[in-house]
Amino acid sequence: MRKKIVAGNWKMNLDYSEGLALFSEVVNMVNDEATGNQQVVVCSPFIHLHSLAALAKGYSNVAIGAQNAHQAESGAYTGEISAKQVKSTGAEYVILGHSERRQYFGENNELLATKTDTALKNGLKPIFCIGETLQEREAEKHFNIIKSQLVEGVFHLDADAFGTLVLAYEPVWAIGTGVTATSDQAQEIHAFIRKEIAAKYSQAVADATTILYGGSCNPKNAAELFGCADIDGGLIGGASLKSRDFTDIVKAFN
Ligand code: PEP
């Protein structure tokens, strides 16, 4: 049975003590809600990772992730953070390919394929984001865009390596906009992604892959989205900064 995940993406919010305070609230509230094969992942800024990972040790269903890691193993890249450094904090996950990284930092599929390799080599589990812009959807290119993000970003992996990934479908037009994809729109793309994975690897690999939805997910729409056959949870931006909202989204599994 594939893992069900609700992952929070704090983005570039919260100073050190604010992050610790929010996490303390969140872990106490979510730990009893996430049961069995459900997992909660908090993807914080780098400055929080080590402290949060230490706190998360006491909670079986809570893990920590970073929001980026560099493609090189180490070296003269002033200001960057390597996958090995992220892993050494106790973090387990790393978000790669978020549309804000693609848009503001010029990260393309080719670079993301290398970042994925480096993250996997260092024992991190990538939460690999894909999704189309509004323009691409209106031009009816969304299936092609998503397929090329998969093919160029992660389909070079062998089945074992691919099996450690979590995918997140995040339509760019739904991120931080308050506009959510309808559950039909999201399910249609998730089913498409799973079909592409089955064609590339096998039905067994496709059935085992966790595919999250992200884009203005909130306590009101989470249950309907998570109730779809191919949606295995969410990647949550804005609502992950409010402990009550985030917990209510985790509860939406039940
Ligand atoms: C995100 O940044 O991954 C995201 C889904 O943001 P929001 O929930 O705020 O739309």
Side-chain angles (χ1 to χ4, degrees):
M1 205 177 169
R2 56 183 175 256
K3 214 173 228 179
K4 305 281 182 183
I5 295 176
V6 172
N9 174 13
W10 287 359
K11 309 195 185 191
M12 196 175 72
N13 293 300
L14 308 174
D15 68 18
Y16 182 71
S17 54
E18 289 167 343
L20 255 58
L22 175 62
F23 188 74
S24 304
E25 279 176 35
V26 164
V27 281
N28 286 320
M29 288 161 87
V30 301
N31 195 53
D32 295 338
E33 305 299 338
T35 49
N37 70 335
Q38 298 172 356
Q39 177 148 56
V40 173
V41 182
V42 172
C43 297
S44 74
F46 294 122
I47 60 159
H48 301 106
L49 290 177
H50 183 253
S51 302
L52 300 195
L55 288 169
K57 277 193 186 137
Y59 301 87
S60 53
N61 291 309
V62 179
I64 304 303
Q67 300 168 21
N68 182 32
H70 199 268
Q71 63 274 21
E73 286 292 341
S74 63
Y77 301 100
T78 302
E80 289 295 317
I81 308 264
S82 72
K84 185 176 180 196
Q85 289 170 326
V86 169
K87 180 72 181 173
S88 74
T89 66
E92 287 177 46
Y93 289 85
V94 60
I95 297 175
L96 293 177
H98 192 282
S99 63
E100 288 153 15
R101 300 287 321 168
R102 292 177 189 262
Q103 183 181 351
Y104 303 131
F105 302 95
E107 297 195 358
N108 58 24
N109 294 335
E110 192 187 347
L111 174 72
L112 291 167
T114 312
K115 285 196 171 203
T116 302
D117 291 341
T118 309
L120 287 170
K121 202 169 150 200
N122 285 283
L124 291 172
K125 297 174 201 156
I127 300 175
F128 193 88
C129 302
I130 55 180
E132 81 285 358
T133 63
L134 184 58
Q135 226 182 2
E136 289 161 347
R137 179 165 276 263
E138 285 175 348
E140 295 187 1
K141 289 186 185 156
H142 43 302
F143 291 106
N144 285 344
I145 293 292
I146 283 156
K147 185 164 179 177
S148 60
Q149 290 171 337
L150 286 170
V151 169
E152 294 167 28
V154 289
F155 275 2
H156 62 287
L157 299 171
D158 65 27
D160 280 351
F162 185 86
T164 58
L165 294 186
V166 173
L167 294 179
Y169 168 57
E170 297 210 303
V172 181
W173 46 272
I175 297 179
T177 58
V179 179
T180 318
T182 64
S183 52
D184 286 349
Q185 284 172 319
Q187 167 58 26
E188 183 184 36
I189 300 288
H190 281 235
F192 172 76
I193 295 168
R194 209 175 295 286
K195 188 167 70 69
E196 292 299 320
I197 299 168
K200 167 71 187 172
Y201 296 100
S202 67
Q203 193 58 51
V205 171
D207 289 341
T209 303
T210 297
I211 310 176
L212 309 181
Y213 167 78
S216 298
C217 193
N218 61 47
K220 288 203 179 88
N221 57 32
E224 187 179 335
L225 286 159
F226 297 175
C228 296
D230 289 294
I231 300 181
D232 307 311
L235 180 53
I236 317 298
S240 72
L241 296 170
K242 296 181 194 139
S243 52
R244 171 52 58 202
D245 283 3
F246 190 61
T247 308
D248 285 347
I249 292 171
V250 174
K251 279 188 196 166
F253 274 135
N254 309 318

